[in-house]
Amino acid sequence: MAVKKKTTQVLDFTKYVRWFWKVFLLGVAGMMLLFLLASWGVFGEMPDHTILENPRTNLASEIISSDGVTLGKFYFKDNRTPVDYNELPPHLIDALIATEDARYHKHAGIDARGTLRALVKAGRGGGASTISQQLAKQLFHGEGSKNTLGRITQKIKEWIIAIRLERQYTKEEIIAMYFNIYDFGNNADGIRSASRIYFGKEPAKLELHESTMLVGMFKNSSLYNPRPHRNPEGTMNRRNVVLAQMAKYGFITEAVKDSIQKMPLNLRYSPESHREGMATYFREYLRGFMKEWCDDKANRKPDGSKYNINSDGLKIYTTIDSRMQAYAEEAVEQHMPRLQSEFDNQNTPKRNPTAPFLELDQEEIDDLLNKGMRRSERWRKMKYDLKKSDKEIIRSFDEPIKMTIFSWDDEGNEIDTVMTPMDSMRYYKSFLLPAMMSMEPQTGHVKAWVGGMDYKHFQYDMVKQGKRQIGSTFKPFVYATAIDQLHLSPCDTLPDTPFCIEKDKYGNPEEWCPKNSGGKYGGTRTLKNALGNSVNTITARLMDKVGPQPVIDLANKLGIEQDILPVPSIALGTPDLSVYEMVAAYSTFANKGVYNKPVMITRIEDKNGTILYQFSPETKDVLSAETAYVTVKLLEGVTESGSGQRLRHSWAKNVPVYKEVITGYPYEFTNPIAGKTGTTQNQSDGWFMGMVPNLVTGVWVGAEDRAAHFKTITYGQGATMALPIWALYMKSCYENSELNISTVQFDKPTNLSIEVDCLKFKEDKDRDKMEDFEEPEIDF
């Protein structure tokens, strides 16, 4: 029997291997083709190397104080100010790498291991985007497409851009760019804004628990919003995840992780908006200045286009000192609630049925409110934006609506209520408003500017825009003119008796006979005593000696812009002037007769540090150093024994008005202070101008309408309404020795020919009398 041979069939895998390599190579070629097509822009525009060198990002313009603090920013949408890598604390960088890209320093833009893991697990094991890819997405693609094909092409484009970024920039530069580009919510664009808004500090000063919270927000800043009533709990949980990642990769110990995970968020939320923050009124003035500067054809970019303050990242260096600005705002916040409380107490419906107005009947009040209605922003919007009829708008002013209004009684100075717009208008007219400006007389540098008490609710700037009657603060211009023309001494005397300037003299249509406050007269007074106590009759006598026009000429040389009618009554302060004008004018006395135009901006730089603008001082000689010094010595009498002496004494602690509204009393200043109080007719406006050798500060307080005021001069005078703000501000300034606010005497000119020491002046006068005395001859 024949035996059959058993045949073994050998399987041939060669063709499968060939097919594998064909598919693999085809896939690789396909991927390369996709990358190539993407790099050519087939799937959408790709940034070239020039755009990669200068990515298009909107940068906020930064307002910087004289002591290097950011006062605020100008921006439309992006509140972004970039920082360098070396300004980021190490733990902030470590937190980012541990959470977002642990192998950041081991790849060139694409993490192959992470990408493979994401493909295998279909994204369930975490994303594979590197920091470079996320930066590419933020810079050039945003959120991207929602369909699958669109997401794939976007991812390819991100890979390409990420690789290009890695070639173009260092690892450190990419991290800095990523921190600078991210939107942390609540107008916190970039790490610098986020640090300031959420924690009130610069990035370099962030602590570990703060850095980890901010890095946690990279996952989704809308979801992980740390503000109360948003998602603080979720944000804290996300922060703790970041801490766990840092511990996992050895950036912190387990003990540190456990300790910080127990900490609360400790937010110091400080919103950066145009209506909130420090120096809001000054910033709004600055916005107007910058708009004019940008519109000037002399200030153009190299390509001929205009600068945009909201997106070009300009740096505006100002003269404002952030410490002095804070002291000024704090002084207002301390005094105004107490003053307002007393004003409200005196204007209850029972005490004043027409509150807050005095001397007006109902018809006049209705007329005043109707005029205010037609000037309001609500009227403008309804009339021109919504195209409503006058009848519809008027009706809407009597319909109750929900609104948020200003209130000193609430911690946040706001309360939610329901009120008609007409009632809210009357409510706002019941508030007393402040204004304050402080300036270095030798340089003209403005150090503090408070145009009101809350820009969000009171947007009219009373430092420069608002002009109000100045009362007795105008009198030093009359005295200075008399000293300059007549060589008078502060110790010269004039009779304090009723006095009139006759009709038709100096264009006077009627006889002018000013009365003293309180109707008190008698004897003679030195000029120093007369100015210190604001004696009207002696001011009128001086006006009669020099005439109105020379006084107006001096005021104009001192920077007063307002047209003033040349009549004798201006001696008592009838013109309407601004705090800005008055501070500049008084500064001339402190600066030995040299006027310096106020300076608010020292220079402007572009985002690269190139200087675009540098200020040139504007000065002029107005008075002799002697006349200026003698005027200062006159003004010192105001605080030594006149209407401003409450700056020095302490005996009135138990006097009711002092306890109620003289905030911070006793002040007990001992250094030389020249000043002048001012009170207008019916106590509608209260002023105080105060000077030390290197700082001049002016304060005004009054209501929007002159019909709203205190009934009596006890509460309505400048020494009560305005002087406490000056005193509180100066005490804070003196407590900060770094500011070097002067406590010494005003500089005395050499060869002073006018005697300012009244004791010596009297001795000289008596000696002159003895020398002029002749012995009578006796005929025996």
Side-chain angles (χ1 to χ4, degrees):
M1 183 172 165
V3 178
K4 289 185 177 179
K5 288 186 178 180
K6 191 173 182 181
T7 59
T8 304
Q9 188 174 3
V10 179
L11 295 175
D12 186 2
F13 289 99
T14 307
K15 64 178 182 179
Y16 296 109
V17 172
R18 283 200 301 268
W19 272 107
F20 169 78
W21 282 110
K22 284 179 182 178
V23 171
F24 177 77
L25 292 173
L26 188 63
V28 171
M31 288 296 295
M32 290 177 66
L33 181 62
L34 280 174
F35 273 82
L36 195 60
L37 291 172
S39 66
W40 290 342
V42 172
F43 302 131
E45 185 181 1
M46 292 287 286
D48 60 21
H49 73 280
T50 57
I51 294 176
L52 286 173
E53 285 179 0
N54 296 286
R56 297 189 188 104
T57 55
N58 291 330
L59 302 179
S61 291
E62 191 174 3
I63 305 162
I64 303 169
S65 71
S66 61
D67 56 321
V69 174
T70 299
L71 297 173
K73 300 176 188 177
F74 295 132
Y75 62 92
F76 176 67
K77 183 180 179 183
D78 297 331
N79 177 23
R80 179 177 292 105
T81 305
V83 297
D84 293 330
Y85 180 84
N86 57 17
E87 296 177 71
L88 303 173
H91 52 67
L92 180 68
I93 297 163
D94 293 342
L96 178 68
I97 291 172
T99 309
E100 299 291 331
D101 192 353
R103 285 182 291 278
Y104 177 66
H105 290 289
K106 297 178 181 178
H107 62 69
I110 299 174
D111 182 3
R113 193 193 306 179
T115 302
L116 186 60
R117 184 198 67 229
L119 288 172
V120 170
K121 296 186 177 182
R124 291 189 297 274
S129 288
T130 63
I131 290 172
S132 302
Q133 286 175 255
Q134 292 179 55
L135 175 60
K137 180 179 179 179
Q138 291 282 334
L139 282 173
F140 302 108
H141 294 291
E143 290 304 315
S145 177
K146 293 184 179 180
N147 64 67
T148 303
L149 181 61
R151 285 198 298 271
I152 291 171
T153 55
Q154 177 178 300
K155 185 62 67 175
I156 292 170
K157 287 157 69 176
E158 285 174 14
W159 284 344
I160 295 169
I161 296 170
I163 293 170
R164 289 181 178 179
L165 287 171
E166 291 269 355
R167 290 175 180 172
Q168 195 90 23
Y169 298 99
T170 66
K171 289 283 188 180
E172 291 75 17
E173 289 172 331
I174 288 171
I175 281 181
M177 290 171 70
Y178 187 47
F179 273 115
N180 285 325
I181 198 67
Y182 191 73
D183 179 1
F184 291 86
N186 298 304
N187 288 328
D189 299 294
I191 189 63
R192 184 157 187 255
S193 293
S195 301
R196 289 169 54 84
I197 288 172
Y198 292 121
F199 297 109
K201 60 178 67 172
E202 295 296 326
K205 296 183 179 179
L206 287 170
E207 296 179 32
L208 179 58
H209 71 281
E210 297 165 337
S211 291
T212 48
M213 189 205 86
L214 293 174
V215 168
M217 294 175 71
F218 275 111
K219 189 171 182 66
N220 186 334
S221 59
S222 297
L223 176 61
Y224 298 110
N225 187 330
R227 290 179 61 189
H229 312 302
R230 297 296 176 87
N231 190 13
E233 185 177 348
T235 306
M236 187 158 63
N237 291 337
R238 179 61 189 164
R239 178 203 66 182
N240 291 345
V241 169
V242 176
L243 287 163
Q245 288 293 104
M246 292 185 75
K248 175 182 176 181
Y249 290 105
F251 291 111
I252 58 174
T253 64
E254 287 290 331
V256 170
K257 179 203 75 172
D258 294 340
S259 173
I260 297 180
Q261 282 183 339
K262 296 174 184 177
M263 291 179 62
L265 293 178
N266 290 331
L267 280 190
R268 288 183 56 199
Y269 183 66
S270 309
E272 286 188 352
S273 72
H274 304 307
R275 295 186 174 190
E276 297 169 296
M278 182 180 286
T280 44
Y281 292 90
F282 173 75
R283 281 156 41 197
E284 201 56 31
Y285 157 77
L286 200 58
R287 183 192 299 279
F289 174 91
M290 289 303 300
K291 184 179 183 302
E292 291 182 10
W293 184 85
C294 291
D295 287 341
D296 190 335
K297 291 182 179 179
N299 306 317
R300 293 295 163 97
K301 295 180 187 178
D303 64 2
S305 62
K306 291 198 303 184
Y307 282 99
N308 187 324
I309 63 170
N310 294 316
S311 59
D312 280 334
L314 302 176
K315 291 188 181 296
I316 307 159
Y317 291 87
T318 72
T319 60
I320 297 292
D321 186 293
S322 68
R323 299 159 295 183
M324 298 172 77
Q325 180 68 30
Y327 299 152
E329 292 179 7
E330 287 165 7
V332 166
E333 289 168 7
Q334 287 179 58
H335 179 60
M336 292 308 297
R338 294 185 64 181
L339 189 69
Q340 186 67 46
S341 178
E342 181 57 33
F343 183 75
D344 293 342
N345 183 51
Q346 295 184 21
N347 280 281
T348 60
K350 186 175 181 180
R351 293 183 175 184
N352 178 18
T354 60
F357 310 110
L358 295 169
E359 297 99 28
L360 294 183
D361 57 33
Q362 192 56 51
E363 184 178 343
E364 290 171 318
I365 292 172
D366 291 342
D367 183 58
L368 185 150
L369 292 174
N370 284 328
K371 287 179 179 177
M373 174 180 66
R374 292 176 180 272
R375 291 195 301 264
S376 69
E377 182 67 9
R378 179 185 177 83
W379 180 281
R380 188 195 67 77
K381 285 184 177 180
M382 294 186 74
K383 179 79 172 177
Y384 300 106
D385 295 350
L386 303 179
K387 308 298 182 184
K388 300 290 184 180
S389 67
D390 287 6
K391 189 175 181 180
E392 288 176 301
I393 300 173
I394 292 169
R395 186 167 60 247
S396 76
F397 269 79
D398 290 320
E399 295 171 354
I401 57 172
K402 290 181 180 180
M403 63 176 70
T404 301
I405 59 173
F406 178 83
S407 173
W408 283 120
D409 296 331
D410 187 76
E411 186 177 342
N413 294 344
E414 285 186 338
I415 55 175
D416 294 325
T417 187
V418 175
M419 187 183 286
T420 70
M422 185 62 78
D423 286 341
S424 76
M425 201 164 59
R426 186 165 186 155
Y427 170 78
Y428 277 108
K429 287 181 180 293
S430 71
F431 279 96
L432 296 173
L433 310 173
M436 174 182 176
M437 183 175 125
S438 193
M439 174 175 141
E440 281 182 356
Q442 290 78 22
T443 62
H445 287 192
V446 175
K447 309 309 292 183
W449 178 307
V450 183
M453 55 198 179
D454 188 291
Y455 184 77
K456 189 174 181 180
H457 294 277
F458 304 92
Q459 293 181 19
Y460 194 70
D461 175 30
M462 291 303 297
V463 166
K464 199 167 193 294
Q465 282 181 295
K467 295 178 184 283
R468 294 296 289 258
Q469 205 172 74
I470 58 171
S472 294
T473 54
F474 191 85
K475 287 177 180 177
F477 305 149
V478 179
Y479 279 72
T481 305
I483 293 164
D484 190 50
Q485 288 190 4
L486 307 175
H487 210 65
L488 296 176
S489 162
C491 312
D492 279 315
T493 58
L494 289 173
D496 179 16
T497 55
F499 179 80
C500 295
I501 294 179
E502 61 268 27
K503 179 182 177 181
D504 296 328
K505 188 174 185 181
Y506 305 123
N508 221 23
E510 300 291 338
E511 185 180 56
W512 184 60
C513 305
K515 296 179 180 179
N516 287 341
S517 178
K520 296 178 182 178
Y521 307 91
T524 60
R525 290 179 182 264
T526 64
L527 296 187
K528 188 172 185 177
N529 178 278
L531 183 61
N533 291 280
S534 232
V535 179
N536 291 339
T537 55
I538 290 181
T539 306
R541 290 177 187 275
L542 292 175
M543 176 60 84
D544 189 40
K545 291 178 184 291
V546 300
Q549 192 57 54
V551 176
I552 294 171
D553 292 342
L554 174 61
N556 290 337
K557 291 176 184 176
L558 293 173
I560 302 301
E561 302 165 351
Q562 190 80 3
D563 290 333
I564 300 174
L565 195 64
V567 294
S569 61
I570 64 171
L572 305 187
T574 55
D576 288 358
L577 303 178
S578 67
V579 174
Y580 174 90
E581 292 171 291
M582 291 298 289
V583 170
Y586 269 65
S587 292
T588 308
F589 299 135
N591 194 34
K592 304 177 183 179
V594 179
Y595 171 82
N596 277 313
K597 185 176 180 179
V599 177
M600 282 71 76
I601 301 169
T602 55
R603 72 182 188 277
I604 301 170
E605 295 179 358
D606 68 10
K607 64 181 180 181
N608 299 315
T610 303
I611 296 176
L612 306 175
Y613 164 88
Q614 202 152 17
F615 93 101
S616 299
E618 296 182 37
T619 67
K620 58 184 175 182
D621 293 334
V622 175
L623 295 166
S624 67
E626 180 176 63
T627 299
Y629 179 73
V630 173
T631 305
V632 166
K633 298 308 287 185
L634 280 167
L635 291 167
E636 285 184 346
V638 174
T639 68
E640 291 169 355
S641 58
S643 57
Q645 62 180 302
R646 59 185 59 178
L647 288 171
R648 302 191 181 281
H649 64 57
S650 60
W651 52 262
K653 293 178 184 178
N654 295 319
V655 175
V657 67
Y658 281 78
K659 292 169 68 176
E660 292 160 357
V661 292
I662 311 300
T663 313
Y665 179 86
Y667 311 114
E668 299 179 302
F669 289 101
T670 57
N671 57 291
I673 299 171
K676 188 70 191 80
T677 58
T679 309
T680 60
Q681 189 176 16
N682 296 332
Q683 300 81 239
S684 296
D685 305 273
W687 291 78
F688 184 72
M689 305 295 302
M691 303 189 292
V692 296
N694 65 350
L695 193 66
V696 177
T697 305
V699 184
W700 166 86
V701 174
E704 178 185 332
D705 295 288
R706 288 186 169 94
H709 57 81
F710 280 105
K711 288 182 180 180
T712 66
I713 199 168
T714 303
Y715 291 92
Q717 62 180 301
T720 300
M721 293 210 293
L723 178 146
I725 294 176
W726 187 93
L728 292 166
Y729 166 70
M730 290 300 292
K731 282 182 77 71
S732 295
C733 288
Y734 279 126
E735 286 170 4
N736 188 339
S737 59
E738 293 180 0
L739 297 176
N740 295 316
I741 306 301
S742 176
T743 58
V744 301
Q745 297 283 346
F746 288 86
D747 285 346
K748 183 177 181 179
T750 55
N751 303 319
L752 185 68
S753 64
I754 298 175
E755 184 56 67
V756 295
D757 183 334
C758 289
L759 187 60
K760 194 167 183 293
F761 179 87
K762 185 175 183 303
E763 290 173 355
D764 291 343
K765 284 286 187 182
D766 291 343
R767 190 184 306 111
D768 290 343
K769 287 180 182 178
M770 291 297 295
E771 290 174 357
D772 292 341
F773 177 75
E774 293 184 5
E775 189 79 26
E777 292 185 6
I778 301 174
D779 186 3
F780 292 99

